[in-house]
Amino acid sequence: MAARWIASSVLSRSRCASSRALAYSLFRKDGSASGVFRRFSISAAIEEPISPPVQVKYSQLLINGKFVDAASGKTFPTLDPRSGEVIAQVAEGDSEDVNRAVAAARKAFDEGPWPRMTAYERSRILIRFADLIEKHNDEIAALETWDNGKPLEQAAQTEIPMLARLMRYYAGWADKIHGLVVPADGPHHVQVLHEPIGVAGQIIPWNFPLLMFAWKVGPALACGNTIVLKTAEQTPLSALYVSKLFLEAGLPEGVLNVISGFGPTAGAAVASHMDVDKLAFTGSTSTGKIVLELAARSNLKPVTLELGGKSPMIIMDDADIDQAVELAHFALFFNQGQCCCAGSRTFVHERVYDEFLEKAKARALKRVVGDPFRKGVEQGPQIDEEQFSKILHYIKSGVEDGATLVTGGTRAGTKGYYIQPTIFADVQDGMKIAQEEIFGPVQSILKFKDLNEVIQRSNKTRYGLAAGVFTNNLQTANTLMRALRVGTVWINCFDVFDAAIPFGGYKMSGQGREKGIDSLKNYLQIKAVVTPLDNPAWL
């Protein structure tokens, strides 16, 4: 059974679809590439932006159940990455607004009905919210694509359905969180209670705005906490929209508060607030260090961090090269390469390196880059000008360091933040493109000789978020899954994000886990209660 799974899982559409995996089926049953991957002119795909089939309805802060302006009256523009043009002006929250939101969340926790509601009632509200997400799927997906630049098909068919699935998953946990009665070495009754931690501060990134919203909000609410959530300044719109659906589902006022704004002001205020009991952050490792320091210098609040990565994608010499190329292509280029766990170091065995490189180049040249609202487009624009310029800087660095630029290497089109799918060969471990997180459509292909070498080189990084392995050998798979110092190992698949699978990293890729049962522990306190017993019938 295990051997059959390793050999065939990448070919199985049902295996990923049944778990609502954050991945597309890569092949037909006959092993040929899916028809969506047709040859397409990059320049022809990038035209005048298509008018989005959605309107911006919510651009204010959500505090205590009401949409309000920032206390300062300030707004900031959120931009369309297809053109750099303004989508909407959004309320710019700062420390005063965070204070208002925390006060609302504290009151809702200390005095409101949410933590006092039966767990079953909390579960029903989460389920109603999931129902509303499904009802408004297309509108939410269009808003996400407009603000973020990810392909509409990806948002509508995968990410928004997963948002609903995650909420149903946590709804199922709400009434299954329980404590223990433990025996003591004497006449005492000992209870271990699992209690909600209080007010949770949460800071989410821009690459998967609503999935990160779900990863944080779902477990916090299931455990009975209240929340102050700060959105990424690049993508504030979708979280505000779905938060309105939470109110419609019956979430009491003050339980979920959403602040849009910038990291040094609103984000820092959340991280350092003395009345925030728990902090969760997803973003870069450098910012994660700042968040952790702010939390420690304030009230020493516990912190969950999901940070950067430089994940190895290991192609063994027994691999079917056509399938390996497609999987490695997906592992890197999915979501415009803007994934913390992207397979950004493609290690290929020397016996198959040349063949792999030739076919990887051909696949990259066929990648459809264009307006993400257009059907069949695989790659939209990068999130903004800052990220666009950063990626081009890394490409320049790769050339200067002596890597071979196989294809791509520059912008696509003349408008918006589009970058050509880029591949480097002859990449060495010491090069910047092999060490640092690029967060863009740049594939670095490295050659290795044997298993021990690739294990050592894969682990020689400050990161430890994820890894991919492509092999038909069960023993090789078993060896690698245990040797790689990462939080997730995908074997013959990649980016499978089931609601029940924990996600997080080793080393500087973070601390703690999100999703699955482990995520609930982030939002619970443990209390021991000891009561003496007088002449107990039993101990």
Side-chain angles (χ1 to χ4, degrees):
M1 176 67 77
R4 187 164 63 249
W5 171 74
I6 287 177
S8 65
S9 64
V10 71
L11 303 180
S12 171
R13 183 181 185 90
S14 63
R15 189 177 300 277
C16 288
S18 64
S19 63
R20 298 278 189 180
L22 182 56
Y24 295 122
S25 174
L26 301 177
F27 304 98
R28 299 188 183 97
K29 289 182 179 179
D30 63 2
S32 62
S34 171
V36 71
F37 304 127
R38 62 188 184 278
R39 188 173 298 277
F40 199 94
S41 166
I42 290 176
S43 59
I46 302 172
E47 307 162 347
E48 281 301 309
I50 295 171
S51 180
V54 65
Q55 299 295 321
V56 176
K57 295 180 179 179
Y58 307 104
S59 58
Q60 296 172 291
L61 313 177
L62 177 62
I63 299 177
N64 203 30
K66 297 179 177 61
F67 285 99
V68 297
D69 291 332
S72 66
K74 291 182 180 179
T75 62
F76 67 94
T78 184
L79 305 180
D80 184 343
R82 302 174 301 162
S83 62
E85 296 174 355
V86 175
I87 298 173
Q89 293 291 333
V90 181
E92 183 183 334
D94 57 24
S95 58
E96 186 174 347
D97 302 295
V98 170
N99 288 339
R100 290 193 292 162
V102 172
R106 174 57 61 194
K107 184 176 181 180
F109 184 78
D110 290 346
E111 305 173 21
W114 184 249
R116 294 158 188 82
M117 192 181 293
T118 67
Y120 176 62
E121 282 300 314
R122 289 200 300 270
S123 173
R124 292 181 65 190
I125 289 173
L126 291 173
I127 290 172
R128 285 198 293 270
F129 173 71
D131 291 342
L132 289 169
I133 291 295
E134 289 183 338
K135 178 180 178 181
H136 296 276
N137 182 92
D138 293 349
E139 188 174 3
I140 298 168
L143 195 61
E144 191 84 320
T145 292
W146 193 9
D147 208 18
N148 174 275
K150 65 179 70 241
L152 180 62
E153 292 173 340
Q154 173 186 323
Q157 298 173 18
T158 303
E159 295 186 21
I160 309 308
M162 182 174 281
L163 166 62
R165 173 67 183 95
L166 283 159
M167 286 301 169
R168 288 200 174 93
Y169 175 82
Y170 286 113
W173 269 115
D175 60 357
K176 299 169 186 67
I177 298 168
H178 53 76
L180 296 169
V181 175
V182 298
D185 293 339
H188 293 90
H189 177 74
V190 182
Q191 297 171 269
V192 179
L193 304 180
H194 291 168
E195 301 180 342
I197 202 166
V199 177
Q202 302 178 330
I203 302 173
I204 61 175
W206 48 258
N207 57 334
F208 293 99
L210 285 181
L211 288 181
M212 298 302 100
F213 176 95
W215 285 19
K216 288 175 172 55
V217 169
L221 293 183
C223 293
N225 298 283
T226 59
I227 298 169
V228 176
L229 181 139
K230 189 253 176 206
T231 59
E233 59 267 28
Q234 297 90 342
T235 54
L237 299 178
S238 58
L240 292 169
Y241 184 102
V242 301
S243 296
K244 178 61 168 66
L245 298 183
F246 249 131
L247 299 177
E248 190 176 329
L251 192 70
E253 63 183 26
V255 173
L256 174 62
N257 305 273
V258 180
I259 303 294
S260 51
F262 295 90
T265 51
V270 173
S272 61
H273 204 287
M274 292 296 292
D275 212 16
V276 169
D277 301 305
K278 179 337 185 250
L279 187 64
F281 170 81
T282 296
S284 70
T285 296
S286 58
T287 304
K289 291 180 180 181
I290 297 171
V291 165
L292 191 61
E293 182 179 359
L294 290 171
R297 289 183 178 275
S298 53
N299 59 346
L300 208 62
K301 61 180 72 66
V303 182
T304 303
L305 299 172
E306 196 267 281
L307 306 176
K310 195 67 180 174
S311 301
M313 178 67 192
I314 300 170
I315 311 299
M316 298 304 299
D317 57 344
D318 64 343
D320 180 301
I321 297 304
D322 290 334
Q323 295 175 12
V325 164
E326 193 64 54
L327 183 63
H329 180 91
F330 172 77
L332 185 284
F333 291 104
F334 176 67
N335 205 53
Q336 293 71 249
Q338 298 170 155
C339 298
C340 54
C341 58
S344 53
R345 289 184 296 154
T346 306
F347 286 98
V348 181
H349 195 284
E350 63 180 5
R351 292 196 191 102
V352 295
Y353 185 89
D354 291 342
E355 181 185 359
F356 182 95
L357 183 61
E358 180 184 351
K359 292 183 175 181
K361 175 184 177 180
R363 177 63 182 91
L365 288 171
K366 291 198 300 181
R367 186 165 184 81
V368 184
V369 181
D371 191 318
F373 282 101
R374 189 176 301 282
K375 186 175 182 180
V377 163
E378 298 174 273
Q379 181 178 316
Q382 309 307 132
I383 185 67
D384 61 12
E385 185 174 3
E386 180 181 355
Q387 187 64 22
F388 173 82
S389 298
K390 175 185 172 184
I391 296 165
L392 292 178
H393 174 77
Y394 274 115
I395 292 172
K396 181 181 178 183
S397 168
V399 173
E400 292 174 347
D401 284 348
T404 301
L405 181 61
V406 175
T407 187
T410 187
R411 74 178 303 155
T414 58
K415 189 175 185 179
Y417 308 124
Y418 297 90
I419 292 179
Q420 294 175 357
T422 298
I423 295 178
F424 279 104
D426 306 314
V427 178
Q428 303 302 312
D429 293 344
M431 294 178 179
K432 187 179 290 188
I433 59 173
Q435 292 185 339
E436 299 181 12
E437 187 176 36
I438 300 173
F439 228 61
V442 181
Q443 185 177 29
S444 298
I445 304 180
L446 303 91
K447 185 185 297 185
F448 73 93
K449 293 182 179 180
D450 57 47
L451 197 58
N452 289 333
E453 176 194 329
V454 78
I455 290 171
Q456 182 182 26
R457 292 171 64 192
S458 294
N459 287 334
K460 194 175 181 180
T461 172
R462 58 180 173 164
Y463 297 113
L465 192 55
V469 174
F470 200 98
T471 180
N472 287 320
N473 187 299
L474 178 59
Q475 187 56 50
T476 298
N478 284 333
T479 298
L480 286 168
M481 74 171 72
R482 286 164 173 79
L484 295 170
R485 300 288 296 164
V486 297
T488 300
V489 179
W490 286 295
I491 299 175
N492 295 343
C493 60
F494 208 89
D495 278 352
V496 177
F497 285 108
D498 189 276
I501 301 174
F503 186 76
Y506 289 23
K507 299 186 279 188
M508 291 179 71
S509 287
Q511 54 191 39
R513 293 294 182 269
E514 298 194 290
K515 301 193 291 103
I517 187 174
D518 296 277
S519 64
L520 300 172
K521 301 171 186 176
N522 299 329
Y523 297 98
L524 293 170
Q525 285 280 24
I526 298 175
K527 177 185 288 182
V529 181
V530 184
T531 307
L533 296 172
D534 187 16
N535 296 320
W538 53 268
L539 288 176

